[in-house]
Amino acid sequence: MNWMWFHKLGSPKWFFFRTKAWALPLFSLGCVGLIVGLIWGLAFAPADYQQGNSFRIIYMHVPVAILAQSCYFALGVAGFVFLVWQMKIAPIFIKAMAPVGAIMALIALVSGAIWGKPTWGTWWVWDARLTSVLVLFFLYMGIIALQKALDDPVLANKAVAVISVVGLINLPIIKYSVVLLETLHQGPTFTLTKKPEMPPEMWLPLLVCMIGMCFFVAGLVIWRMQSEILQREHRTSWVREEVMKNGL
Amino acid sequence: MHPVRKKRLFVISAIVLILGAAVTLVMYALQQNINLFYSPTQIVMGEAPRNATIRAGGMVVNGSVKRHSETLAVVFETTDFQHTITIEYRGILPDLFREGQGIVAQGQLNDDGVFIATEVLAKHDEKYMPPEVSEAVKNAQSAMGETKVNSQSTY
């Protein structure tokens, strides 16, 4: 197998030019997906038989909650890659990803609380699912704080990579909390082995929101990575040429 | 102290602190969660402490809800299909509270084995469907006679 792409991926310059044209289309596609999915879900999907219209918050809550977790997984993988192969692009990815993930975890918590009040009767309960997602949010915040607290970039890269890897422990706790433990949060509606506990007219808009959210985040993160690359490599000749050619 | 060592000390303590906080919160959740609620069976078997604040979970038994005509007081039974306990509550119930629905109540078990709740939360399941579909399912079920659908998964 040819591993050339993998080694090239580690080069910020290669990454910068390779993905330069991707950010805008991904981001725009994501916005369109989100707008279509949300309007479909909020206005046209049927209401739930028990929860009525308050169930519609699912179209916001589920995409951000799932992505907050998958993005953390990507963060952990990037941390691992950096610790093992010292790839320069990995800490750039972590730095670009962490605030986006933190905001998604926060939206998941807040939308969950807003959903919990009319359905469960409480904003918050210290059950395993809610608490482990709160920990996920704290992990993201810890990564951001650590990155900002360390002036030495070499040290910052390493420290942030370590914490990203360690935080991976939390992901299985989030996922299986509702299956293995008694929680107020209900179990998963969508599983790999069973048919979803929801008719297609309800999950189709959710799927659109989900895909839209993925593209939205991908575009946003590539954008953030590109500006981070320019900052980190500002002494190199290729950045200087790029800036001379296109302006800032 | 040497600035590099100082920084290192700071980093390591930051990592330790954050990890500590994370693990503590998880442990806190798990510890409370293993008994986020006791099932009616556990309570009937005497596994739940008396006169201490606990949570009890279960499904509201059909036809068991009795409301006081002048106050907000309500008495109902919850079950896990093996044992049943009686819960007394005074206050506003969540919108999703209804017979056949899973609930989690916080309160204390008195000496008569009656659970005096200070808070009742509704637990909903992972199933979503439009009202028409729910109607259709109900009609089909009543056409087939009494069924035990949803017995385990809904609470």
Side-chain angles (χ1 to χ4, degrees):
Chain A
M1 193 178 163
N2 186 4
W3 284 92
M4 204 53 205
W5 63 273
F6 188 68
H7 295 290
K8 272 190 186 157
L9 199 63
S11 146
K13 182 184 171 186
W14 186 85
F15 183 90
F16 182 87
F17 286 109
R18 193 69 212 253
T19 59
K20 214 176 150 194
W22 294 3
L24 190 61
L26 281 173
F27 187 79
S28 325
L29 216 61
C31 287
V32 171
L34 274 179
I35 291 169
V36 169
L38 284 176
I39 291 177
W40 188 358
L42 296 182
F44 298 104
D48 182 56
Y49 74 116
Q50 273 197 327
Q51 301 178 34
N53 283 322
S54 62
F55 118 95
R56 294 181 197 278
I57 207 165
I58 200 172
Y59 295 109
M60 196 71 234
H61 180 74
V62 168
V64 291
I66 291 180
L67 267 173
Q69 295 167 68
S70 352
C71 289
Y72 196 91
F73 183 72
L75 219 64
V77 171
F80 184 77
V81 164
F82 181 70
L83 292 176
V84 179
W85 290 282
Q86 301 284 318
M87 262 190 187
K88 265 173 137 179
I89 200 78
I92 295 173
F93 171 74
I94 296 177
K95 193 175 176 191
M97 185 77 253
V100 179
I103 288 171
M104 283 192 296
L106 186 66
I107 298 176
L109 288 166
V110 171
S111 62
I114 296 170
W115 196 0
K117 189 62 187 168
T119 49
W120 300 337
T122 184
W123 300 102
W124 184 264
V125 64
W126 288 100
D127 87 350
R129 169 56 74 85
L130 276 65
T131 310
S132 53
V133 175
L134 183 65
V135 170
L136 179 73
F137 173 65
F138 286 161
L139 279 168
Y140 276 125
M141 294 308 279
I143 289 170
I144 298 168
L146 202 56
Q147 178 92 57
K148 288 216 192 303
L150 297 170
D151 293 328
D152 177 2
V154 178
L155 194 59
N157 286 347
K158 219 179 275 177
V160 166
V162 169
I163 190 175
S164 306
V165 172
V166 171
L168 285 176
I169 313 165
N170 192 34
L171 292 180
I173 299 180
I174 298 179
K175 181 153 170 49
Y176 294 108
S177 55
V178 291
V179 183
L180 300 177
L181 299 163
E182 298 281 27
T183 53
L184 188 61
H185 194 288
Q186 74 283 6
T189 298
F190 303 96
T191 48
L192 288 177
T193 47
K194 277 188 296 178
K195 201 161 111 239
E197 300 280 6
M198 193 187 248
E201 64 262 39
M202 281 174 161
W203 64 250
L204 273 173
L206 186 58
L207 185 70
V208 175
C209 286
M210 189 69 234
I211 295 169
M213 200 72 204
C214 289
F215 281 114
F216 179 84
V217 168
L220 202 61
V221 170
I222 288 176
W223 243 328
R224 291 177 52 83
M225 284 175 80
Q226 289 187 331
S227 57
E228 182 65 25
I229 289 171
L230 288 183
Q231 261 176 36
R232 289 198 184 195
E233 308 277 310
H234 71 279
R235 283 180 208 287
T236 59
S237 56
W238 72 265
V239 170
R240 219 164 280 160
E241 268 168 38
E242 180 67 16
V243 172
M244 295 293 251
K245 208 165 57 189
N246 298 322
L248 270 173
Chain B
M1 211 192 292
H2 195 275
V4 173
R5 275 186 213 141
K6 208 172 187 177
K7 213 171 266 175
R8 221 177 274 159
L9 181 74
F10 173 75
V11 176
I12 292 167
S13 24
I15 292 173
V16 169
L17 272 181
I18 291 164
L19 269 182
V23 172
T24 312
L25 274 172
V26 171
M27 295 322 274
Y28 179 65
L30 292 181
Q31 175 231 338
Q32 211 190 22
N33 191 266
I34 289 165
N35 50 23
L36 178 73
F37 53 84
Y38 289 95
S39 68
T41 302
Q42 284 174 307
I43 290 171
V44 169
M45 294 301 182
E47 285 170 37
R50 303 221 156 185
N51 299 316
T53 299
I54 55 166
R55 287 200 180 94
M59 185 118 93
V60 181
V61 177
N62 281 327
S64 73
V65 180
K66 291 182 196 77
R67 290 172 201 267
H68 193 279
S69 53
E70 277 157 26
T71 67
L72 287 172
V74 59
V75 181
F76 57 92
E77 286 172 0
T78 66
T79 182
D80 57 0
F81 304 101
Q82 285 161 16
H83 293 90
T84 300
I85 56 164
T86 305
I87 296 183
E88 276 182 36
Y89 177 66
R90 190 180 287 259
I92 297 166
L93 291 162
D95 291 350
L96 278 191
F97 179 92
R98 61 195 70 171
E99 291 173 356
Q101 179 78 35
I103 60 111
V104 176
Q106 188 170 24
Q108 298 196 346
L109 207 55
N110 72 8
D111 293 325
D112 306 328
V114 175
F115 193 85
I116 311 297
T118 52
E119 183 185 44
V120 174
L121 303 179
K123 190 165 158 43
H124 67 81
D125 58 20
E126 69 280 9
K127 295 184 181 66
Y128 300 88
M129 55 179 124
E132 312 86 74
V133 176
S134 151
E135 274 309 305
V137 170
K138 245 182 241 164
N139 292 340
Q141 274 173 13
S142 51
M144 285 164 60
E146 264 318 307
T147 44
K148 286 186 282 177
V149 184
N150 294 354
S151 60
Q152 273 311 94
S153 57
T154 43
Y155 89 92

